[in-house]
Amino acid sequence: MSNLVKAPAKFLPYVGLGGKIWHYGFRGVCAAIFFFLLAPVFVIVPLAFNSEPYFNYPIKSYSLRWFQYFLNSEMWFMAIKNSILIGVSATIIATILGTIAAIGLSRRNLPYKAVIMAVLISPMIVPVVITAVGTYFFYSKLGIANSLLGIILAHAALGVPFVVITVTATLVGFDQTLVRAARGLGASPFLSFRKVTLPLVWPGILSGALFAFTTSFDDVVVVLFLGGVQERTIPRQMWTELREQLSPTILVVATILIALSALLLVTLELLRRRNARMRGLAE
Amino acid sequence: MTPTSTINSANLKSQLKRAERRHLIRSYNLILPLFAFILISFLIPLGIVFYNSIYDPQVATGLPKTVESLKDWDVRSTPYPSENSFAALAAEMKTASDNQTASGIASRLNYEGSGLRTLFMKTSREVEDVDDGPWQEKFIAIDKNWAQPEIWSVIRQTGSFYTSGYYLKALDMQRDPFDNIEKQPADARIYIDVFARTLFISGLVTVFCFLLGYPIAYLLSKLPARTSNLLMIFVLLPFWTSMLVRTTAWIVLLQKGGVINSTLLSLGLISEPLDLMFNRFGVVVAMTHILLPFMILPLFSVMKSVPSTYVRAARSLGASPWTAFWKIYFPQSMPGVSAGGLLVFILAIGYYITPTLLGGAGDQMISYFIADNLSRSLNWGLASALGCILLAGILVFYSFYEKYVGVSNVKLG
């Protein structure tokens, strides 16, 4: 009896010495892999605060001078402005069109669904270089190469697959009878969408939008082909400086971007939890 | 059943059908805007890439009469064509100089053999001052290469509007003066090697991602939810961090005076800095790091659904831990391995930024050469042909992915 009340043993009784060595050995290997995953990301953070322009440890004194330099730099200010403008516009286009299409795609037994899906997902599969080359050819003809508009359109296309995938995934578990009930009670299609569908699927829409935004915010290749001097974005500016010489400002930008992705991660985790709760899958 | 009810049910059926059709049309109408958008912003550009890889108007529009006259030339009997062709070329060179299209034609010829640009430009400059023939002698006097079959066969071969020449070039092949397809001379072969290298690096990265990702996914799937959610953050944080940031981090770590080298030096483990960057090692390590989450996430979601009862049954029937893992667990985790492996491989093949920044001259992958041909050599046709071959390769691997995994099962985050 007392055995049952006691906290469960760490190892089952039949696990021998070999099993125990394996258990710890395996965890050791996993710890090393986690170190490999995380260490490179974090190694640059303290270096951004180094008061000397060295990219090395040990750091003798810390300062915010590179942050100050970054904030005062006109070039970086333009890059930030462009990145946000392009990212937000591309995300809005991709999210609106993607969500509407995902609702259409969620119909059961839709003929040619697989083909349509394959076409809509294709920007994710095709290497960015090819997309960039193609849009460069086409947009030069249309006269929108070397313009923000061209980059926005290309980035929106790159973001579309993520929105379509996440929203269709959310709609798989969506109970269509709720919409029918709303319609039966006299709601217009738009009202039932706004009051019933949207509140239930917005976590999917939001995470798709976040994916679309990061895709745009990360992209160098499209901007490299479609952007002129005036259309520099944060990654484009980083790329230029990395090709020339590593500068402390890049570490500052990297640190800020890491902080942003941490923030993004937290947002997504909260969304996931909310989504699970809404579906009654509470942990 | 009374007749009325039959009519009613038929009526009902047709009404139902009509309603169904209305629904269907509505669904398509919802998809249509996005479809149109993708068509304009993505599919048409891809179509243009393909078109540019076969459309080759420069010589055909610039030297139409010369090309026409070369039809009578039999390369086997005479090393150079008749006076007619020389005269046509002289006339068209003059027009080209006036229209300022000479430079474009010369560049186009130069793609087929270096030196042709100089030859063409020099000749068209000097022909400008000559009023009439005999053109054969005057051309050969300007440059004796005009007595060789090579340049004439290049003009003939590039003289049609549509060409397979860029694809031949992309596969390290060319046409000899007799129109036979042969390999490029050994020192001009580039792209087969680049394609092989791209596949090799991508394969290597996929293998490393598998070796590192499998234990992590296994551990995460076995741990209680609370712990595994926490550890999952360690996978997702790098996943969400900009690829350029992670590449920057590897530059900081790997460069000559970088963190790794200076640490090893100060520990006395090495006496001079190691070459960790601008070589294959740097590219593979950084790409493995960047793509590892793409292996872990699909693996994890498959492993999560593998029931532990089979392994326990195998163990209780006397299988050793290794046998139980290898014969029972591993096959059940195979869908995750193929999903993650194909995803990593497909993504790796198209990589551009990381190899460019961390690799040496011999580690550049195909994307680099596409960009290089487009922006530096300005050889759009070749860039397009390389792009199309890359795209075809990707589509083959993607069709495997679609077959074994299914695109709608892609898990994001």
Side-chain angles (χ1 to χ4, degrees):
Chain A
M1 255 331 255
S2 63
N3 242 349
L4 286 176
V5 187
K6 255 194 336 203
K10 196 158 172 51
F11 291 103
L12 294 167
Y14 59 78
V15 174
L17 182 64
K20 283 174 190 163
I21 293 175
W22 167 248
H23 177 88
Y24 289 113
F26 179 69
R27 270 157 178 70
V29 168
C30 287
I33 300 171
F34 274 121
F35 181 76
F36 171 73
L37 260 174
L38 283 174
V41 178
F42 285 113
V43 85
I44 50 179
V45 175
L47 291 173
F49 297 93
N50 192 349
S51 59
E52 304 293 322
Y54 301 135
F55 313 105
N56 228 324
Y57 291 96
I59 297 169
K60 291 201 181 69
S61 62
Y62 292 88
S63 88
L64 288 172
R65 58 185 281 212
W66 309 117
F67 281 82
Q68 215 162 23
Y69 177 81
F70 167 73
L71 291 173
N72 289 331
S73 154
E74 235 166 79
M75 207 133 69
W76 280 106
F77 181 72
M78 185 181 83
I80 296 171
K81 213 179 65 184
N82 280 336
S83 270
I84 292 176
L85 182 67
I86 293 170
V88 170
S89 319
T91 306
I92 291 174
I93 297 175
T95 310
I96 292 177
L97 293 179
T99 305
I100 295 173
I103 292 170
L105 278 167
S106 71
R107 193 199 136 91
R108 266 176 305 153
N109 312 325
L110 187 75
Y112 306 113
K113 187 174 180 170
V115 180
I116 297 170
M117 197 71 178
V119 170
L120 298 183
I121 300 297
S122 54
M124 192 171 80
I125 312 300
V126 174
V128 199
V129 170
I130 300 177
T131 315
V133 169
T135 40
Y136 173 70
F137 288 152
F138 187 45
Y139 291 176
S140 309
K141 283 193 184 125
L142 298 182
I144 52 170
N146 286 335
S147 77
L148 287 178
L149 178 67
I151 301 175
I152 289 170
L153 291 180
H155 278 184
L158 292 181
V160 157
F162 299 106
V163 180
V164 172
I165 289 176
T166 53
V167 181
T168 29
T170 325
L171 284 170
V172 166
F174 179 70
D175 190 354
Q176 287 292 341
T177 49
L178 295 175
V179 178
R180 250 175 265 152
R183 298 277 280 124
L185 290 167
S188 70
F190 180 69
L191 190 70
S192 72
F193 172 75
R194 201 165 59 89
K195 289 284 184 187
V196 180
T197 314
L198 203 57
L200 283 166
V201 299
W202 77 261
I205 297 175
L206 195 60
S207 63
L210 284 176
F211 267 104
F213 184 76
T214 20
T215 308
S216 163
F217 208 68
D218 261 10
D219 169 75
V220 194
V221 184
V222 169
V223 181
L224 223 46
F225 284 82
L226 284 180
V229 190
Q230 285 303 310
E231 286 82 31
R232 294 200 161 207
T233 58
I234 298 174
R236 176 72 177 77
Q237 191 64 29
M238 284 181 83
W239 163 261
T240 313
E241 294 202 10
L242 280 176
R243 290 205 89 175
E244 284 157 11
Q245 208 197 348
L246 198 58
S247 75
T249 331
I250 291 188
L251 300 190
V252 169
V253 180
T255 304
I256 294 172
L257 290 180
I258 292 169
L260 282 179
S261 39
L263 202 69
L264 193 79
L265 190 60
V266 173
T267 318
L268 277 175
E269 176 64 17
L270 292 178
L271 276 180
R272 196 186 60 76
R273 287 197 187 164
R274 180 189 182 276
N275 199 15
R277 214 172 41 240
M278 295 288 279
R279 294 177 175 202
L281 304 168
E283 286 159 42
Chain B
M1 227 180 244
T2 62
T4 22
S5 78
T6 326
I7 292 165
N8 275 349
S9 84
N11 207 356
L12 206 61
K13 251 183 202 163
S14 75
Q15 268 184 352
L16 196 65
K17 243 185 197 156
R18 227 176 308 147
E20 284 268 303
R21 201 174 317 129
R22 251 201 329 269
H23 262 245
L24 201 64
I25 290 170
R26 214 190 56 195
S27 298
Y28 281 129
N29 280 343
L30 290 172
I31 302 171
L32 200 64
L34 182 62
F35 204 87
F37 179 73
I38 291 292
L39 187 73
I40 291 171
S41 62
F42 186 72
L43 294 180
I44 291 179
L46 283 195
I48 295 178
V49 173
F50 177 68
Y51 190 64
N52 277 343
S53 73
I54 52 168
Y55 182 58
D56 189 25
Q58 213 103 41
V59 176
T61 47
L63 311 172
K65 294 218 177 70
T66 315
V67 173
E68 180 65 34
S69 71
L70 283 174
K71 284 196 176 133
D72 306 330
W73 172 45
D74 180 11
V75 65
R76 272 163 234 275
S77 52
T78 53
Y80 52 92
S82 64
E83 174 69 14
N84 269 349
S85 302
F86 281 90
L89 183 60
E92 282 173 337
M93 272 181 167
K94 288 178 184 177
T95 334
S97 297
D98 295 344
N99 299 342
Q100 301 187 329
T101 53
S103 172
I105 299 168
S107 301
R108 174 64 191 93
L109 295 176
N110 204 52
Y111 296 151
E112 303 302 318
S114 54
L116 294 191
R117 185 190 161 82
T118 330
L119 173 63
F120 189 89
M121 290 309 280
K122 184 181 86 178
T123 311
S124 63
R125 257 195 316 274
E126 294 188 22
V127 158
E128 195 79 352
D129 306 327
V130 185
D131 289 328
D132 56 329
W135 295 106
Q136 272 182 341
E137 284 164 30
K138 294 197 171 152
F139 265 76
I140 294 165
I142 290 168
D143 195 312
K144 59 181 184 309
N145 275 316
W146 289 107
Q148 304 294 322
E150 277 80 17
I151 170 122
W152 290 104
S153 45
V154 165
I155 292 176
R156 191 173 59 178
Q157 283 158 6
T158 53
S160 60
F161 279 98
Y162 295 94
T163 179
S164 58
Y166 292 122
Y167 283 97
L168 289 179
K169 182 112 188 177
L171 296 169
D172 287 345
M173 288 187 281
Q174 62 181 16
R175 284 178 202 278
D176 67 5
F178 310 107
D179 268 358
N180 299 316
I181 293 171
E182 59 172 20
K183 277 190 171 177
Q184 295 262 6
D187 57 332
R189 286 178 211 157
I190 311 171
Y191 296 111
I192 292 288
D193 187 37
V194 171
F195 279 116
R197 177 194 306 158
T198 305
L199 290 177
F200 177 73
I201 293 178
S202 307
L204 210 58
V205 168
T206 310
V207 169
F208 282 127
C209 280
F210 166 71
L211 291 177
L212 297 180
Y214 200 90
I216 293 292
Y218 181 81
L219 179 78
L220 289 176
S221 74
K222 289 293 169 208
L223 286 173
R226 190 173 284 272
T227 329
S228 84
N229 275 347
L230 192 72
L231 288 179
M232 196 47 132
I233 292 175
F234 295 168
V235 178
L236 291 176
L237 185 69
F239 177 73
W240 279 102
T241 303
S242 157
M243 187 252 302
L244 208 54
V245 169
R246 287 184 278 166
T247 305
T248 310
W250 280 107
I251 295 174
V252 169
L253 283 169
L254 296 179
Q255 62 181 347
K256 264 264 153 69
V259 174
I260 291 179
N261 266 324
S262 60
T263 310
L264 291 178
L265 277 172
S266 66
L267 289 175
L269 290 173
I270 50 173
S271 52
E272 53 187 281
L274 301 169
D275 285 321
L276 301 170
M277 220 174 94
F278 302 126
N279 55 26
R280 199 62 58 91
F281 174 82
V283 175
V284 172
V285 169
M287 281 179 70
T288 303
H289 178 252
I290 292 171
L291 291 168
L292 188 50
F294 290 95
M295 177 64 99
I296 295 176
L297 296 175
L299 261 178
F300 171 73
S301 74
V302 167
M303 285 176 172
K304 201 75 190 149
S305 65
V306 172
S308 57
T309 41
Y310 294 105
V311 172
R312 253 185 273 150
R315 293 280 279 127
S316 73
L317 289 169
S320 70
W322 171 249
T323 313
F325 168 76
W326 184 241
K327 294 274 181 191
I328 307 297
Y329 188 83
F330 189 73
Q332 292 187 86
S333 67
M334 222 19 224
V337 176
S338 54
L342 279 168
L343 189 62
V344 168
F345 191 72
I346 289 174
L347 291 172
I349 283 181
Y351 253 52
Y352 172 59
I353 303 296
T354 310
T356 307
L357 289 174
L358 284 165
D363 310 302
Q364 298 309 324
M365 292 163 66
I366 189 65
S367 290
Y368 173 86
F369 287 89
I370 295 174
D372 190 61
N373 269 307
L374 187 86
S375 53
R376 217 166 47 83
S377 322
L378 300 176
N379 191 345
W380 289 17
L382 182 56
S384 300
L386 290 170
C388 287
I389 295 174
L390 170 62
L391 186 59
I394 292 274
L395 289 180
V396 169
F397 291 114
Y398 177 59
S399 67
F400 286 130
Y401 186 83
E402 181 61 43
K403 193 171 165 198
Y404 293 114
V405 189
V407 71
S408 34
N409 298 333
V410 178
K411 287 275 186 329
L412 299 169

